[in-house]
Amino acid sequence: MTHSSHWNQGFRRIAGALALLGALAAAPAMAQPAAATHSFGWKGEQFLLDGKPFVIRGGEMHFSRVPREHWRDRLRMMKAMGLNTVGTYLFWNLHEPRPGQFDFSGQNDIAEFVRIAQEEGLWVILRPGPYACAEWELGGFPAWLLKTPDLRIRTSDPRYVAAATRFLGEVGKRLAPLQVAHGGPILMVQVENEYGSFGADHGYMASIRDALRAAGFDGLLYTADGPTPQMLGGGTLPDVLPVVNFGGDPAGAFAELEKFRGRTPRMAGEYYPGWFDHWGEQHHTGQVDNILKDIGWMLERDVSFSLYMFHGGTTFGFMNGANYSDQENRPYQPDTSSYDYGAPLDEAGRPTPAYHALRKLIARHLKPGETLPEVPPSPPMIAIPRIGLTQSAALASLLAEPVRAVRPLAMEQLDQSYGFVWYRTRVPAAKATLEAGDVRDMALLYQDGKPLGAMDRRLGQRSIELDVDAGQLDLLVENMGRINYGRRLVDERKGLLGPVRFAGKPLLEWEMFRLPLDDLSRLSFADGWLEAPAFHRGTFRLRRLGDSYIDMRGWGRGHVWINGHHLGRYWRIGPQQTLLVPAQWLRRGDNEIVVLELEAAARGRSVQGLTDPVFDTP
């Protein structure tokens, strides 16, 4: 922040105070006092809160990954560990699911989350995007942006910038009044996110900065990037404070930051105590000794930090993201529904050994007058009794009127964002190769209900050998999560991408059935068991409530709903073998579970509740 910015902040505080005095003078005698305002800025290597040095001891927690009823409990856990600030992303795709239709209510009520943080004595770092990364579907971008074929997200494309500016304007209406200078807890706001890992278009970054200012964010803005000259150079702006993200060697990271920008506050915008999981890979856990060494180094030097993550929670529904790798045998890497992350607070909100070790470490570095609250009790857990799934309904029963086209259309062209598309065409009798331009991301092939095989994008599969009769060919294609990091996300359209050829000749005349699976009310279940792809239903009764884990070992691959709430994905390849069930989605008395099983060879017929998660790779 420049010296003129400090003067401007001072002028705004004086003007705000005069306006407040005038308002109080004109207000009725019973008017409530306004919330206390604060100043926040920096000078040299220190942040300044009300003009006094302030060290951010932060932790990341995404309100979208935690049921609203748990927000306060999780924030209290954060406070008890010794943190004073919570960082959170907004995910654009949740708040604007369709162009111009905004949702900041219920689970999406970010303003309420910020107010609860303030009530619990925590400051807030706001990360509104428009890009988040975060192992979230398309990095938080709404999929409808990709419906326009040549629109380029994360660039100066005026159509994209206009949409992002509109979204940030809506965010500002709700959150700009909650900045510290206006009586709220928001200390600072991030401009974009790790843009230096993607590009170096400073004009684009300036447009996002300007959109935030126009939205009413008149406080401290910052950028966060990896600690390399390329990332810092591409992702920052001269008039915005830079911070660095890393998972080790804080001394080296801050040396790079100082070489780049000189003397500014040293802050780890993201310090990684753990990591996220991909399907088919090992579960990640943090190394407590390394975490304590790095956080201790920062505490001893009054260096600010934010743990990414303090509490990961769960990526419910279809919202998981994916990575793209240059490995030829594993190019596409979808993320699991669990976002446990090896964080100090586990997926169910319980303190881990890292939590207690960090609490002891932070307690040795408290400022005069600071004390730590007692650690709150952990949320109650229950083991749901074993449930038999005795009724079934075919996935094909949801097929409605198709969209017809000469060539297959991408999911976005069908005005659909998530779930599945059922593609149908006709083939001649032949033993030959079926080839697709691309499969995004998993295709299951059938003829007359008989499974013919699969094409898996994780394995780079775009073709399959078939031996078929003349007639109808069905391909069930699932969006397994859009890429959320790197340059490939700009073209991350889903479905069956053409051209599609069989025996060297193009397959034309397609029918496409949308299956977003956002409403299962049309399903009609009957007693008995149907082979995949099918839904299976069971009921169970509960006398008391608590969080639980549903054990999906013995099943193949699919999705689970409890009382209509979509828990996420399961897959026998692991590492995640259980799905978290929040207590708030259960009820005393009768409950319903629905499982969509996609693998014909799956042997599951029942599920069991557990009080602890299972991570392994069979």
Side-chain angles (χ1 to χ4, degrees):
M1 181 178 289
T2 64
H3 291 294
S4 62
S5 297
H6 288 293
W7 281 108
N8 289 338
Q9 269 200 356
F11 178 80
R12 284 195 299 270
R13 291 199 300 275
I14 294 169
L18 290 173
L20 176 61
L21 287 171
L24 288 174
M30 296 302 291
Q32 295 296 316
T37 61
H38 299 272
S39 66
F40 186 74
W42 61 273
K43 183 178 180 180
E45 295 185 352
Q46 293 181 320
F47 286 113
L48 299 175
L49 180 62
D50 295 330
K52 297 178 181 178
F54 179 74
V55 177
I56 294 171
R57 301 193 302 264
E60 189 93 0
M61 182 180 116
H62 303 147
F63 69 97
S64 302
R65 282 182 158 123
V66 180
R68 177 175 174 145
E69 296 84 353
H70 278 327
W71 287 349
R72 192 177 298 273
D73 293 340
R74 303 296 196 264
L75 292 168
R76 286 178 175 172
M77 282 286 191
M78 179 177 286
K79 183 78 172 177
M81 200 183 82
L83 302 182
N84 58 27
T85 305
V86 58
T88 192
Y89 281 122
L90 275 76
F91 299 124
W92 182 1
N93 56 3
L94 295 184
H95 297 289
E96 193 180 2
R98 299 186 69 82
Q101 297 180 10
F102 295 96
D103 182 2
F104 290 88
S105 63
Q107 181 65 39
N108 293 335
D109 192 349
I110 173 60
E112 180 62 13
F113 177 80
V114 170
R115 286 189 288 265
I116 293 172
Q118 186 174 27
E119 290 167 6
E120 295 302 325
L122 291 164
W123 303 103
V124 175
I125 293 175
L126 185 65
R127 312 179 76 188
Y131 167 73
C133 189
E135 291 69 60
W136 192 267
E137 231 272 351
L138 199 59
F141 287 124
W144 49 259
L145 288 169
L146 300 179
K147 187 177 180 181
T148 302
D150 60 342
L151 185 146
R152 307 299 286 179
I153 57 179
R154 289 193 94 184
T155 73
S156 294
D157 184 321
R159 297 164 298 179
Y160 160 71
V161 171
T165 299
R166 180 182 63 193
F167 165 65
L168 293 174
E170 293 294 324
V171 173
K173 291 176 185 178
R174 293 154 178 85
L175 296 181
L178 294 175
Q179 296 171 99
V180 292
H182 303 276
I186 298 174
L187 295 178
M188 54 188 195
V189 179
Q190 185 175 345
V191 181
E192 237 264 359
N193 180 60
E194 294 185 328
Y195 185 71
S197 302
F198 177 85
D201 184 347
H202 292 164
Y204 162 65
M205 286 293 290
S207 70
I208 300 302
R209 176 203 60 203
D210 294 346
L212 288 168
R213 290 298 190 207
F217 292 107
D218 52 11
L220 179 59
L221 301 181
Y222 79 102
T223 58
D225 287 282
T228 70
Q230 178 184 355
M231 292 179 182
L232 287 166
T236 60
L237 292 168
D239 59 342
V240 175
L241 177 71
V243 305
V244 285
N245 299 342
F246 56 86
D249 186 22
F254 292 121
E256 289 294 335
L257 178 62
E258 185 172 1
K259 279 193 289 185
F260 174 76
R261 185 57 65 87
R263 293 180 68 244
T264 60
R266 293 180 294 176
M267 179 174 176
E270 296 180 2
Y271 173 79
Y272 308 114
W275 205 243
F276 57 91
D277 292 339
H278 294 135
W279 287 113
E281 299 178 12
Q282 293 296 313
H283 174 56
H284 289 88
T285 57
Q287 299 295 319
V288 176
D289 290 345
N290 292 339
I291 298 166
L292 295 177
K293 180 183 70 174
D294 292 341
I295 298 299
W297 187 97
M298 289 186 269
L299 288 169
E300 289 164 6
R301 292 162 177 80
D302 286 338
V303 171
S304 293
F305 63 86
S306 181
L307 297 169
Y308 190 100
M309 301 290 295
F310 163 75
H311 172 52
T314 309
T315 312
F316 295 109
F318 291 116
M319 287 297 122
N320 67 278
N323 282 87
Y324 196 91
S325 169
D326 291 330
Q327 301 176 38
E328 186 175 345
N329 63 337
R330 188 63 61 87
Y332 171 73
Q333 300 167 308
D335 302 322
T336 62
S337 294
S338 170
Y339 203 60
D340 178 87
Y341 214 91
L345 209 64
D346 76 3
E347 185 181 8
R350 298 173 294 186
T352 66
Y355 178 100
H356 294 292
L358 282 166
R359 186 173 189 269
K360 290 179 181 178
L361 175 65
I362 292 170
R364 298 199 297 269
H365 294 86
L366 298 178
K367 302 303 180 185
E370 273 193 291
T371 58
L372 295 185
E374 292 297 318
V375 177
S378 294
M381 303 292 296
I382 63 171
I384 297 172
R386 182 164 292 280
I387 310 160
L389 278 72
T390 59
Q391 296 182 315
S392 296
L395 175 61
S397 68
L398 292 179
L399 300 185
E401 187 66 23
V403 175
R404 294 178 173 86
V406 174
R407 294 174 177 81
L409 301 177
M411 182 177 282
E412 296 78 11
Q413 292 173 290
L414 296 169
D415 202 25
Q416 181 180 332
S417 295
Y418 315 109
F420 299 73
V421 177
W422 191 299
Y423 293 85
R424 177 170 289 168
T425 190
R426 297 189 67 81
V427 292
K431 184 176 183 180
T433 302
L434 180 112
E435 301 171 283
D438 207 348
V439 174
R440 299 195 180 170
D441 301 295
M442 177 75 78
L444 303 177
L445 287 79
Y446 304 92
Q447 189 172 57
D448 297 327
K450 175 186 174 183
L452 303 177
M455 290 186 285
D456 185 347
R457 185 186 182 192
R458 294 179 317 121
L459 307 178
Q461 296 171 343
R462 300 182 181 183
S463 63
I464 185 172
E465 297 299 316
L466 298 180
D467 186 354
V468 294
D469 299 325
Q472 184 174 288
L473 179 70
D474 292 318
L475 295 92
L476 176 62
V477 181
E478 181 177 4
N479 168 3
M480 296 289 295
R482 289 182 179 84
I483 291 169
N484 59 263
Y485 179 82
R487 299 199 62 85
R488 288 183 180 269
L489 66 83
V490 301
D491 293 313
E492 186 57 1
R493 292 167 178 84
K494 293 298 187 180
L496 184 63
L497 306 188
V500 180
R501 293 183 172 87
F502 182 56
K505 296 180 179 179
L507 290 178
L508 305 176
E509 305 303 331
W510 290 80
E511 293 182 328
M512 287 147 287
F513 302 84
R514 302 182 185 95
L515 290 170
L517 302 191
D518 52 1
D519 179 8
L520 303 185
S521 62
R522 291 197 298 114
L523 286 173
S524 180
F525 287 94
D527 292 341
W529 185 267
L530 295 176
E531 291 303 318
F535 296 92
H536 307 286
R537 179 178 180 269
T539 58
F540 59 101
R541 294 183 61 82
L542 292 175
R543 293 183 177 179
R544 68 184 185 93
L545 303 181
D547 292 354
S548 189
Y549 286 94
I550 295 294
D551 185 358
M552 298 307 297
R553 288 175 293 182
W555 291 75
R557 181 175 66 86
H559 298 258
V560 179
W561 289 260
I562 293 271
N563 295 329
H565 296 279
H566 189 179
L567 303 184
R569 285 184 169 85
Y570 67 90
W571 200 349
R572 59 182 172 76
I573 64 174
Q576 179 181 350
Q577 301 292 343
T578 49
L579 284 162
L580 179 69
V581 186
Q584 295 78 14
W585 295 356
L586 297 169
R587 47 188 181 238
R588 289 182 176 85
D590 293 335
N591 293 262
E592 177 190 71
I593 183 169
V594 173
V595 175
L596 170 61
E597 176 58 68
L598 298 166
E599 291 194 354
R603 62 184 186 278
R605 295 291 187 276
S606 65
V607 295
Q608 171 71 49
L610 302 174
T611 57
D612 291 294
V614 176
F615 294 101
D616 62 32
T617 304

